[in-house]
Amino acid sequence: MKTLKDINFKNKKALVRVDFNVPLNDDFKVTDNTRILAAKPTIEKILNDGGSVILMSHLGRPKGKEDKFSLKHILPELEKVLGHKIIFVSDSIGPEVKKAVKNLKPGEILLLENLRFYPEEKKGDENFAKALADLGADYYINDAFGTAHRAHASTAVIAKYFDKNHKAAGNLLEKEVVSIQKALDEGQKPVTAIIGGAKVSSKIGVIENLLNKVDNLIIVGGMAYTFLKALGNKIGDSIVEDDKIDLAKKILAEAKAKGVNVILPVDLVVADRFSNDAETKIVSIDNIPDGWQGLDIGPKTRQLIDEVIQNSKTIIWNGPAGVFEFDKFATGTENIGLAIGKASEKGAYSLVGGGDSVAAVKKLNLTDKISYISTGGGALLEMLEGKTLPGIAALTE
Ligand code: AMP
C-alpha cells in the first residue's frame, strides 16, 4: 500500500476521502473537531508539496439532500483548524464540480458537498464512484479510517479507477493501521486486552481473534454477565444474552486451551434499578440479590485489573466497564483509563478506541499519556477481528 511519502504532489490534484462526520449543535456549529484535526497532516503534506486538495466526506445519515446535513456547516471550523480558505461546491459530482476542480490552483482546497446526498454512495454504486473518479483529480487518497470498513463508492469502489501509482493511504489511515498492528501483531509481551460494552454479541469476532494474540483478556461491562452466568453465577436482573451462554462457555474453554488468562469481575456495584438515582451496593459476584443489576465493576475487580495492566507491556482497550453515562457507575471505566495511563508512562504501548473508552480518557486528561487513540469505531473493531477492511484492500488491488 502506497503512503503519502511515496508521492510528490507538486502541481497535482488529490481527491482525498476524509471523515468529516463531526457532531454539530442546534446552531450547526462543530462541537468536536477531532476528526478535522486528524485529517490536517494529510492536507498539509499535499499543499506543502505544491499540490491542491479536493476534500470529500459524508456527514450524518441524510435522507436525500437535507440542508441540515450540508457540509457547508463545517466550513468555518475547517477554515479555522486548517488556517486556510476553503472553496465549497454544493454538489459532489457533475459539471459544476468538474469546473471547480479544473480551476483549482496549487495551494487551494476545494470541499465537495455531502457524499451521502447521493444514495449511490452507500450502495457502492460503480457509476457514482466513476463520476467521482472522473472529476479531474490526479490521485485518490483515502484518509477516512472511520469508514474504511465500508465498501462505499468513495471509500473503496472509486479506487479501482486509479492505478497503483495514483492511489494511497493518507497520513491518518496509515497511522491507524500501523498503530493497531503494533499492538495486535507486534506487541511486546505480556499483551493485555480489556474488552467491555453492553453485549458480547457485538464483539464475538474481536474476542475470538484476541484469543490468538493476547496473554490476558479482561472482560468487563454488560457482556461480562453472560460469562458470569455461563460459569454458574446468579446474576439477578443484570443484562445478559441467554442465547450466547454456550458461546461464552466455548470462548472460556478455548482461552484455557490457548493459555490465555481470562479476567472477569469478582465484585460489582449493583443497583436496584437502571438509573443514576438508584440505590447501590457492592457485592461479590456470587451474591447478586434477586431484582438487582450489576452496573459497574467493584473495588476488588478494579484493583485486580490495575495489577494486570501494570504488569503488561502492551494494552488494548475497547468498551466501558459499566454504565459510564451515569456518574455513579463510571468509576470502573475511569479507573481502567487511569491504570492504562500509568502503565503507559512506565513504557507500555497502549491502544484505546471506541466512543466510551476514548471519552473516559479525554475526560481524565489522559490523551497525551496513551500511545495511540484510534479515531475508528466499527473500523477499529473490524481490524481487531483480524479482517482486511475494504477501504484498505482497495488501495492495494
Ligand atoms: P458498546 O457500544 O458495545 O461498547 O457498549 C457501550 C454501552 O454499554 C454503554 O452505553 C454502557 O452504558 C453499556 N454498559 C456497560 N456496562 C453495562 C452494564 N453492566 N449493564 C448495562 N449496560 C452496560
Side-chain angles (χ1 to χ4, degrees):
M1 183 172 72
K2 271 200 182 311
T3 60
L4 294 185
K5 50 185 180 304
D6 302 318
I7 302 170
N8 184 340
F9 291 93
K10 191 167 172 54
N11 292 323
K12 300 289 182 198
K13 292 169 182 171
L15 178 59
V16 186
R17 176 50 158 108
V18 285
D19 182 0
F20 285 167
N21 184 27
V22 290
L24 300 175
N25 65 16
D26 292 344
D27 297 326
F28 300 107
K29 291 219 168 67
V30 176
T31 53
D32 181 347
N33 66 9
T34 309
R35 286 180 170 156
I36 298 179
L37 275 169
K40 198 175 167 181
T42 290
I43 298 167
E44 285 183 340
K45 145 76 182 167
I46 298 165
L47 295 182
N48 289 341
D49 274 3
S52 53
V53 180
I54 304 138
L55 296 171
M56 57 175 177
S57 177
H58 74 284
L59 175 65
R61 293 179 176 172
K63 292 181 184 71
K65 296 186 170 133
E66 283 183 89
D67 189 71
K68 65 176 177 179
F69 292 111
S70 171
L71 276 169
K72 71 181 178 204
H73 301 305
I74 74 155
L75 274 172
E77 187 63 28
L78 188 56
E79 293 193 331
K80 197 168 100 197
V81 170
L82 297 178
H84 204 287
K85 204 183 158 335
I86 313 282
I87 307 162
F88 177 71
V89 270
S90 56
D91 207 338
S92 35
I93 54 168
E96 188 207 347
V97 186
K98 272 188 157 180
K99 200 170 135 205
V101 172
K102 194 160 179 244
N103 292 336
L104 203 63
K105 294 180 198 62
E108 289 185 338
I109 305 173
L110 176 71
L111 173 68
L112 310 187
E113 183 53 287
N114 191 346
L115 293 161
R116 290 197 187 162
F117 279 2
Y118 287 87
E120 291 90 338
E121 161 65 359
K122 278 178 83 170
K123 288 184 192 144
D125 182 84
E126 304 240 345
N127 291 329
F128 182 64
K130 182 142 189 356
L132 290 168
D134 283 345
L135 287 176
D138 303 290
Y139 290 95
Y140 166 68
I141 308 297
N142 189 357
D143 210 19
F145 179 70
T147 40
H149 59 311
R150 306 278 184 221
H152 294 169
S154 70
T155 59
V157 184
I158 186 176
K160 72 166 131 185
Y161 301 108
F162 291 82
D163 68 38
K164 267 191 178 155
N165 295 320
H166 291 86
K167 57 187 169 191
N171 207 291
L172 173 68
L173 191 79
E174 182 194 4
K175 216 162 63 176
E176 291 274 359
V177 172
V178 168
S179 305
I180 296 166
Q181 273 172 356
K182 196 168 162 186
L184 204 57
D185 300 315
E186 299 146 22
Q188 237 187 303
K189 283 173 159 285
V191 181
T192 296
I194 306 120
I195 301 296
K199 292 178 172 177
V200 61
S201 52
S202 62
K203 291 179 190 171
I204 295 167
V206 173
I207 292 176
E208 287 190 328
N209 191 40
L210 286 174
L211 288 180
N212 301 315
K213 312 273 182 187
V214 304
D215 302 293
N216 303 302
L217 177 65
I218 300 175
I219 300 173
V220 286
M223 69 171 67
Y225 299 91
T226 301
F227 287 91
L228 290 172
K229 190 166 176 183
L231 288 171
N233 294 288
K234 278 170 66 189
I235 56 162
D237 280 357
S238 306
I239 186 171
V240 68
E241 287 171 281
D242 280 317
D243 60 336
K244 295 289 177 289
I245 299 263
D246 285 342
L247 178 77
K249 284 183 187 163
K250 192 183 128 235
I251 289 172
L252 292 172
E254 220 176 298
K256 201 167 174 193
K258 289 183 171 159
V260 176
N261 177 29
V262 176
I263 295 114
L264 285 161
V266 292
D267 62 347
L268 305 157
V269 180
V270 291
D272 62 352
R273 67 211 136 97
F274 189 85
S275 160
N276 203 26
D277 304 321
E279 202 182 308
T280 64
K281 52 187 173 186
I282 291 159
V283 298
S284 61
I285 46 145
D286 51 4
N287 236 337
I288 305 178
D290 284 343
W292 289 59
Q293 52 190 300
L295 295 185
D296 197 6
I297 51 173
K300 286 198 182 115
T301 309
R302 295 202 297 263
Q303 202 190 330
L304 181 66
I305 292 175
D306 184 52
E307 279 164 21
V308 175
I309 291 175
Q310 299 320 316
N311 287 318
S312 302
K313 288 271 186 298
T314 305
I315 304 149
I316 301 167
W317 179 29
N318 174 278
V323 183
F324 162 81
E325 297 88 337
F326 298 150
D327 284 349
K328 238 181 183 165
F329 308 107
T331 315
T333 302
E334 292 182 1
N335 263 67
I336 290 173
L338 289 168
I340 298 175
K342 199 163 99 190
S344 309
E345 274 187 314
K346 292 188 298 185
Y349 181 80
S350 53
L351 170 77
V352 175
D356 299 311
S357 320
V358 174
V361 157
K362 280 187 180 169
K363 187 175 163 196
L364 298 162
N365 289 323
L366 295 168
T367 37
D368 292 343
K369 297 204 171 96
I370 308 299
S371 313
Y372 191 72
I373 297 180
S374 176
T375 60
L380 170 68
L381 288 179
E382 291 202 13
M383 289 279 290
L384 293 179
E385 281 180 42
K387 286 188 184 162
T388 304
L389 310 190
I392 294 170
L395 294 174
T396 51
E397 278 156 5

